Amino acid sequence: EYRVGDLYLSPAQHIVRCGGQEISLTLKEFELLCLLLENKGIVLSRDRILDKVWGDAMGRESRTVDVHIRTLRQKLGPAGGCIETVRGIGYKLKGAD
């Protein structure tokens, strides 16, 4: 289980909550959020995110990550602000436990 501010995620139960309200995510959004939480504070490149979340899928593009991050931020509302863009590199999750 992971907690960052108002954000709660349970991989075992496949549940994401923000401020006590359950958030519905697609499988890829959920996997992306798990990856960011597992590596909190560590900058993950777009390529690393693609490898971990999308694997060796054909025709993948780094913009896929950007689109999923944007959607994830929108769905998480204020808690989406803990996903930080590291210009020219990728993304990291910030925030207090």
Side-chain angles (χ1 to χ4, degrees), residues 58-73:
M58 300 279 294
R60 64 186 196 168
E61 297 180 21
S62 65
R63 301 310 298 173
T64 299
V65 175
D66 300 335
V67 171
H68 278 77
I69 290 285
R70 185 176 65 238
T71 307
L72 191 54
R73 283 176 174 153

Side-chain angles (χ1 to χ4, degrees), residues 4-63:
V4 175
D6 285 342
L7 179 63
Y8 166 81
L9 185 140
S10 171
Q13 296 177 321
H14 207 277
I15 292 174
V16 176
R17 289 192 187 108
C18 289
Q21 199 156 41
E22 198 161 323
I23 307 295
S24 178
L25 300 179
T26 66
L27 178 60
K28 292 302 179 192
E29 290 166 348
F30 187 85
E31 290 174 349
L32 176 56
L33 185 56
C34 282
L35 180 66
L36 290 168
L37 285 163
E38 289 166 3
N39 294 280
K40 190 173 98 176
I42 299 170
V43 178
L44 300 173
S45 69
R46 286 175 179 82
D47 285 339
R48 178 146 185 236
I49 293 170
L50 282 168
D51 287 342
K52 294 288 188 179
V53 176
W54 281 268
D56 292 328
M58 300 279 294
R60 64 186 196 168
E61 297 180 21
S62 65
R63 301 310 298 173

